[in-house]
Amino acid sequence: MPATPDGPRTARWTLPHDPSVVGKTRGLVEETLTGWGLGLLADDVVLAAGELLANAISYGEPLVRLSLRTEDGALWVEVTDRGPELPHRLNLGLDAVHGRGLTIVEALSDAFGVTLLPDAPGKTVWARWNLSGSENRSDDR
């Protein structure tokens, strides 16, 4: 299966360092994926992108950038911020309301990780979905 019906694609947004942008950006991600013919992945990708973006805004530093791209049979979501602190999982009790973002991203994606920026403080937190067989993913969950 090709990356998308029209080949590799990229979408990128530089976003305000403001929590109110997370909800609006989820809509942009869904619209973009639908336009790329990847609507079956939209629910998982939108949730994961929102979690990564919320972490970058809550714990990172400006500039915050969200990127979506298809490449080599995979869909990538990347959120970059200039904060030096690396994301980490929290040890939470059953009654915790927040703090499960990375666990959610790990559960929804095929892989995720962190890449440090080479030329400045900051990092890119990414998640990847393999596109081969993605048409059946929603039925398998």
Side-chain angles (χ1 to χ4, degrees), residues 90-107:
L90 303 174
N91 291 324
L92 301 170
L94 293 175
D95 58 343
V97 178
H98 300 286
R100 292 188 175 87
L102 291 178
T103 302
I104 290 169
V105 172
E106 180 178 30

Side-chain angles (χ1 to χ4, degrees), residues 7 10 13 23 46 61 73 81 89 94 97 100 103 105 107 117 121 132:
T10 301
W13 300 273
V46 166
E61 296 177 17
D81 75 79
R89 287 192 182 93
L94 293 175
V97 178
R100 292 188 175 87
T103 302
V105 172
L117 299 181
S132 59

Side-chain angles (χ1 to χ4, degrees), residues 17-29:
H17 199 259
D18 179 348
S20 70
V21 77
V22 175
K24 297 172 189 172
T25 304
R26 286 183 179 130
L28 291 172
V29 170

Side-chain angles (χ1 to χ4, degrees), residues 38-94:
L38 298 173
L40 289 176
L41 289 176
D43 287 345
D44 288 354
V45 175
V46 166
L47 180 55
E51 293 295 334
L52 294 178
L53 185 56
N55 283 348
I57 290 172
S58 296
Y59 305 108
E61 296 177 17
L63 294 168
V64 174
R65 183 169 290 130
L66 169 65
S67 300
L68 302 177
R69 66 182 166 93
T70 60
E71 182 177 272
D72 299 329
L75 169 68
W76 297 80
V77 174
E78 300 168 319
V79 177
T80 301
D81 75 79
R82 297 296 181 159
E85 185 176 338
L86 295 177
H88 58 279
R89 287 192 182 93
L90 303 174
N91 291 324
L92 301 170
L94 293 175

Side-chain angles (χ1 to χ4, degrees), residues 117-139:
L117 299 181
D119 57 349
K123 71 273 183 194
T124 298
V125 184
W126 55 267
R128 186 192 76 229
W129 286 260
N130 299 325
L131 294 177
S132 59
S134 65
E135 62 272 10
N136 298 322
R137 284 180 62 104
S138 62
D139 297 334

